[in-house]
Amino acid sequence: MMHISISTFQAPALAGPDTPPRRGGDGPGTAVISRTKPQTKRPSLYRVLLLNDDYTPMEFVVHVLERFFNKDRDQANTIMLHVHNHGVGECGVFTYEVAETKVTQVMDFARKHQHPLQCVMEKK
C-alpha cells in the first residue's frame, strides 16, 4: 500500500513598492509529495514433517518424498531412514499455504493407498 501526502505552501512574495501583498491561497504555490514505503514482512515458515508408524512401507514413504517434495532417490532414502530411526523427519520448509497443501496431499495419498502415514506441519 502506498500512501501519498500532498501539502501546499505559499512561496514568500517579493514585495516591491508596486506589488500588492499576497493573500494565502491566491497565487501559485509549490506542492510537496512524499511517499511512504510499504512495510513488508516476510511470511512465517512451516516445517512439514513425516511421522513414523509400524505399518507404512519404507518404499511408499520414499515415493511420497519423491512425488510431493521433489526429492531425488538418495535424499528420499535419507529422510525415510531418519523418520524410521528417529520417529520424525523433515520433508521441507514452506509458507503456511504451501505447507498446508503438502500435508493435505500426503495425507490424502496415504489414505487412498490404505496406509496410516501421518504428515504434520509446525511453525519454524
Side-chain angles (χ1 to χ4, degrees):
M1 176 178 13
M2 184 179 292
H3 175 72
I4 298 177
S5 60
I6 299 175
S7 57
T8 305
F9 65 91
Q10 191 68 36
L14 299 175
D18 298 330
T19 308
R22 287 191 178 170
R23 291 174 285 161
D26 267 357
T30 303
V32 176
I33 299 174
S34 63
R35 291 185 184 180
T36 305
K37 286 190 176 181
Q39 296 296 322
T40 55
K41 188 172 97 171
R42 290 194 179 270
S44 297
L45 295 177
Y46 292 80
R47 299 170 66 207
V48 175
L49 308 169
L50 285 179
L51 307 179
N52 189 43
D53 64 73
D54 293 331
Y55 304 101
T56 304
M58 292 179 178
E59 192 56 40
F60 183 79
V61 175
V62 169
H63 179 67
V64 164
L65 290 162
E66 291 172 335
R67 179 174 177 163
F68 297 104
F69 299 97
N70 299 316
K71 303 298 182 189
D72 64 32
R73 193 70 161 177
D74 289 339
Q75 292 172 319
N77 272 311
T78 300
I79 295 169
M80 177 274 297
L81 287 172
H82 192 273
V83 171
H84 180 72
N85 293 324
H86 298 95
V88 64
E90 182 179 284
C91 305
V93 178
F94 309 95
T95 59
Y96 181 84
E97 291 81 9
V98 174
E100 184 178 47
T101 300
K102 298 259 185 209
V103 168
T104 301
Q105 288 174 330
V106 170
M107 295 294 290
D108 290 348
F109 189 71
R111 252 185 259 120
K112 179 180 173 186
H113 290 87
Q114 300 178 344
H115 295 299
L117 181 64
Q118 294 294 303
C119 186
V120 297
M121 59 190 261
E122 71 177 19
K123 194 167 188 176
K124 186 164 179 167

